[in-house]
Amino acid sequence: MIRIEWLYWLVGAVFLAMAAQMATDRSNPKRFGSAAFWGLLGASFLYGTWVVKKTAPAAPLGAAVLVMICLAGFGLTGRGAPRTTGPEQRAASAARLGNRLFIPALTVPLVALVCATLLKGTHLAGKPLFEAGNETLLGLGLGVLIALAIGLFLCRERNPAVALHAGRGLLESMGWALLLPQLLAVLGSIFQAAGVGTQVGKLTVHLLPDGNKYGAVALYCLGMALFTVIMGNAFAAFPVMTAAVGWPVLITRLHGHPPVVLAVGMLAGFCGTLVTPMAANFNLVPAALLELKDQYGPIKAQLPTAGALLVCNIAIMSLFAF
Amino acid sequence: MIVLLGILVVVAGFATKRNPVLIVGVAGVLTAFLGGLTPMKVLDAFGTGFASSRSVTLFAVTLPVIGLLERHGLQEQARALMGRLAKVSAGRLLAAYLMIRQLGAALGLTTLGGPAQAVRPMIAPMAEAAAERHHGPLTEPARERLRSFAASADTVGLFFGEDCFLTVGSILLITGFVNATYHAHLEPTQLALWAVPTAICATAVHGARLLRLDRSLARTRPAAGTVTATAGVTEEAK
């Protein structure tokens, strides 16, 4: 049986290998900070296996997470000079390979989809092929390995380390932003452990007429959008609003179908992201890049769409969740 | 009630543009203490939370493949494909870009696009050229409006496309959070499927608004003397 933890080990090993490359990259002025950050992340992916199994204490991992937060939070990570192909080489390569370049990229979602649907529940020698409940993620891992083989073959690249170096370039340019979604998920679980969701839930109960599911749907969606506007991203708003209204009211009390409630709830949050200056990278950076006089130009262009889609999300959840 | 201070820390932190990672750390530690956790329990909470949400960062495993393809001209090929749209009107061009961006994001290709990679060097200049071809020189407000809509096509396309991808961060955040907190067994496939209706609505709503741009551009023909030069958008992206 292929286990999900094997995939976490693979990702952890990739992070560790990239950290080792970073430590020796003299073009990165903060190479030791960067190597420490990504190395700790890689080690955390491995150690996490035994934390989930409850055979190792969680506190050392928690301490490692706080160290990573400090490394990234106080600007101790950096990036090296990108060592990649030049624009002429890329253009020549694109002209030579053409649309075949898309084949490996499309292999990843295709394999993930096949594993999640067709191969789900397949047995090999009496045992399930994939660990139950993780078919999609394992499909992603498998898809990446197949896509990498196809990509290396197509590009006539004999050395797989080239891919690792190219991936590290992307990793360094994303920087700690890559880890932010997971840290927000951690924050959500801490909010939950400390009882924030219960408190927000108590507040919202006053706003909510008893048992009115449409009121509850509207409250969840509007709350997601509003929280996203003030927090600047839906990832931080999701755990709070879900712990307050989404899970206890819509799913537990009113028996809403969880995938509809949660997927559409997240998308209601995205409507908030479209109109908030707090999401600077999506709304203010493009205005600067396009040299607009009005830095709120993109937000103004997006506002009517965001409003309409919020209404759509409320309608979709009301129609399909119950 | 006092545990809600953690939310205020997040709001204040993002409002004053502090480093987001630091905000998460401070809000987490503060909330855990206010919730009555001992220092050891705080570390435990961070550790178990991190271990059970590792799936959110799993998409990093695709970086070597994407990096390899970009090295061999993936972005250039995507631009060559979009260059074929050069003949259509501004509104149709932006609507087509919206759909391409959505479809790309739904297939996990979120890096094929973006304000710096595609909108500034390519989509915005193409839209302006198309508008000038059909309606004559643009007024300054019309140019601003066109560029704002070019940026919006990119952002709306990305947001309401990527959630249809099985293993994108937002989908894995949902499964990671809910499965760890409520011991549920949600599958990414189900969530991605239920992102499709909203994605279709987004195509319809924003696509229609982009198509209507052509008509509003036709109405705002410039008066003499308000025409501005087209300089400033043709140089390379940073």
Side-chain angles (χ1 to χ4, degrees), chain B residues 50-205:
Chain B
F50 190 87
S52 57
S53 63
R54 281 173 299 163
S55 59
V56 179
T57 308
L58 263 188
F59 71 92
V61 79
T62 60
L63 290 182
V65 176
I66 302 293
L68 176 73
L69 296 175
E70 291 199 351
R71 221 184 124 83
H72 287 274
L74 183 68
Q75 300 241 4
E76 283 71 12
Q77 182 60 23
R79 272 183 218 163
L81 283 183
M82 282 186 262
R84 292 188 193 164
L85 293 170
K87 294 270 188 292
V88 299
S89 73
R92 284 184 192 175
L93 171 83
L94 292 183
Y97 179 65
L98 168 76
M99 288 168 76
I100 293 172
R101 183 79 167 124
Q102 248 187 321
L103 206 63
L107 292 168
L109 296 171
T110 47
T111 53
L112 288 187
Q117 300 96 312
V119 179
R120 183 188 150 108
M122 180 162 189
I123 300 301
M126 276 168 70
E128 287 181 37
E132 289 180 337
R133 205 165 49 238
H134 287 87
H135 311 293
L138 291 169
T139 61
E140 191 60 43
R143 184 181 307 284
E144 283 257 325
R145 205 168 127 78
L146 195 55
R147 287 188 194 175
S148 297
F149 269 92
S152 75
D154 188 276
T155 312
V156 172
L158 172 69
F159 282 13
F160 297 97
E162 66 169 7
D163 257 35
C164 306
F165 186 51
L166 301 172
T167 49
V168 79
S170 47
I171 292 285
L172 296 177
L173 173 70
I174 298 175
T175 53
F177 171 70
V178 172
N179 291 355
T181 315
Y182 302 108
H183 310 290
H185 300 282
L186 282 185
E187 271 275 4
T189 11
Q190 301 170 297
L191 291 155
L193 181 70
W194 282 107
V196 174
T198 309
I200 294 170
C201 292
T203 318
V205 171

Side-chain angles (χ1 to χ4, degrees), chain A residues 5 7-8 11 15 41 44-45 48-49 52 58-59 61-63 65-66 69 72-73 84-85 90 93-94 98-99 101-102 104-106 109 116 120 133 135-137 140 144 151 155 157 162-163 166-167 170-171 176 178 181-187 189-192 194 196 199-200 203 227 231 233 235 238-239 243 247 259-260 262-263 266-267 270 273-274 278 282 289-294 297 301-302 304-305 309 313 316 320, chain B residues 1 3-4 6-7 10 14-15 19-22 24-25 27-28 31-32 35 40 43-44 46-51 53-58 60-74 76-78 81 107 109 112 115-116 119-120 124 140 144 147-149 151-152 155-156 158-160 163 165-167 169-170 172-174 177-178 181-182 184 186-191 194-195 197-198 201-202 205-206 209 232:
Chain A
E5 291 298 337
L7 181 56
Y8 290 132
V11 179
F15 283 141
L41 182 61
S44 303
F45 263 70
T49 302
V52 170
L61 181 58
V65 173
L66 290 180
I69 287 176
T84 180
T85 46
R90 289 184 181 210
S93 166
N99 287 337
L101 273 168
F102 291 110
L106 298 179
K120 186 179 180 173
E135 291 88 354
T136 318
L137 293 178
L140 173 79
V144 163
C155 302
E157 201 75 73
V162 170
L170 288 178
L171 190 78
W176 48 255
L178 182 132
Q182 185 177 357
L183 289 176
L184 287 165
V186 173
L187 183 64
S189 68
I190 289 175
F191 275 4
Q192 184 60 20
V196 172
Q199 288 295 342
V200 177
L203 288 179
F227 253 122
M231 284 184 165
N233 71 76
F235 286 11
F238 181 80
W247 196 271
V260 186
L262 302 170
M266 180 65 96
L267 290 166
F270 284 7
T273 320
L274 286 178
M278 303 275 284
F282 291 118
L289 277 172
L290 295 172
E291 295 163 11
L292 297 182
K293 289 198 184 65
D294 180 7
Q302 283 153 202
T305 301
L309 288 179
N313 280 324
I316 290 167
F320 296 113
Chain B
M1 216 49 173
V3 291
L4 295 183
I7 298 177
V10 176
F14 277 109
N19 182 305
V21 172
L22 216 50
V24 170
T31 306
M40 206 55 192
L43 287 183
D44 270 338
F46 268 94
T48 42
F50 190 87
S53 63
R54 281 173 299 163
S55 59
V56 179
T57 308
L58 263 188
V61 79
T62 60
L63 290 182
V65 176
I66 302 293
L68 176 73
L69 296 175
E70 291 199 351
R71 221 184 124 83
H72 287 274
L74 183 68
E76 283 71 12
Q77 182 60 23
L81 283 183
L107 292 168
L109 296 171
L112 288 187
V119 179
R120 183 188 150 108
E140 191 60 43
E144 283 257 325
R147 287 188 194 175
S148 297
F149 269 92
S152 75
T155 312
V156 172
L158 172 69
F159 282 13
F160 297 97
D163 257 35
F165 186 51
L166 301 172
T167 49
S170 47
L172 296 177
L173 173 70
I174 298 175
F177 171 70
V178 172
T181 315
Y182 302 108
L186 282 185
E187 271 275 4
T189 11
Q190 301 170 297
L191 291 155
W194 282 107
T198 309
C201 292
V205 171
H206 207 59
R209 292 188 59 224

Side-chain angles (χ1 to χ4, degrees), chain A residues 248-265:
Chain A
V249 179
L250 286 172
I251 293 173
T252 309
R253 180 138 47 97
L254 299 169
H255 309 292
H257 188 46
V260 186
V261 172
L262 302 170
V264 178

Side-chain angles (χ1 to χ4, degrees), chain A residues 9-316:
Chain A
W9 295 347
L10 174 70
V11 179
V14 169
F15 283 141
L16 284 172
M18 287 177 175
Q21 290 177 343
M22 284 178 206
T24 56
D25 178 3
R26 289 182 189 283
S27 69
N28 183 350
K30 295 171 179 172
R31 61 188 170 123
F32 294 117
S34 307
F37 179 81
W38 296 107
L40 266 178
L41 182 61
S44 303
F45 263 70
L46 303 180
Y47 185 77
T49 302
W50 291 276
V51 172
V52 170
K53 266 204 275 181
K54 298 194 195 306
T55 52
L61 181 58
V65 173
L66 290 180
V67 172
M68 281 188 267
I69 287 176
C70 289
L71 283 170
F74 293 111
L76 299 174
T77 60
R79 56 184 297 196
R83 265 173 302 169
T84 180
T85 46
E88 297 84 17
Q89 269 174 294
R90 289 184 181 210
S93 166
R96 184 166 57 84
L97 295 168
N99 287 337
R100 276 179 291 169
L101 273 168
F102 291 110
I103 297 173
L106 298 179
T107 302
V108 179
L110 191 72
V111 172
L113 195 64
V114 167
C115 291
T117 52
L118 299 179
L119 294 181
K120 186 179 180 173
T122 307
H123 283 65
L124 209 67
K127 284 187 175 172
L129 182 59
F130 297 118
E131 189 175 342
N134 290 305
E135 291 88 354
T136 318
L137 293 178
L138 288 169
L140 173 79
L142 206 59
V144 163
L145 293 178
I146 296 173
L148 199 58
I150 298 177
L152 289 170
F153 175 76
L154 267 182
C155 302
R156 296 197 196 127
E157 201 75 73
R158 295 203 175 163
N159 184 2
V162 170
L164 200 61
H165 271 286
R168 174 171 67 98
L170 288 178
L171 190 78
E172 285 184 357
S173 65
M174 292 171 85
W176 48 255
L178 182 132
L179 195 60
L180 192 59
Q182 185 177 357
L183 289 176
L184 287 165
V186 173
L187 183 64
S189 68
I190 289 175
F191 275 4
Q192 184 60 20
V196 172
T198 341
Q199 288 295 342
V200 177
K202 275 184 196 158
L203 288 179
T204 48
V205 162
H206 296 296
L207 294 168
L208 201 66
D210 229 11
N212 182 342
K213 58 188 174 194
Y214 302 113
V217 166
L219 186 71
Y220 182 48
C221 290
L222 289 171
M224 269 303 295
L226 191 71
F227 253 122
T228 303
V229 167
I230 53 177
M231 284 184 165
N233 71 76
F235 286 11
F238 181 80
V240 177
M241 278 313 292
T242 300
V245 183
W247 196 271
V249 179
L250 286 172
I251 293 173
T252 309
R253 180 138 47 97
L254 299 169
H255 309 292
H257 188 46
V260 186
V261 172
L262 302 170
V264 178
M266 180 65 96
L267 290 166
F270 284 7
C271 297
T273 320
L274 286 178
V275 297
T276 176
M278 303 275 284
N281 52 338
F282 291 118
N283 297 329
L284 302 187
V285 170
L289 277 172
L290 295 172
E291 295 163 11
L292 297 182
K293 289 198 184 65
D294 180 7
Q295 64 165 340
Y296 297 122
I299 291 183
K300 286 175 189 162
Q302 283 153 202
L303 188 65
T305 301
L309 288 179
L310 187 57
V311 174
C312 290
N313 280 324
I314 293 173
I316 290 167

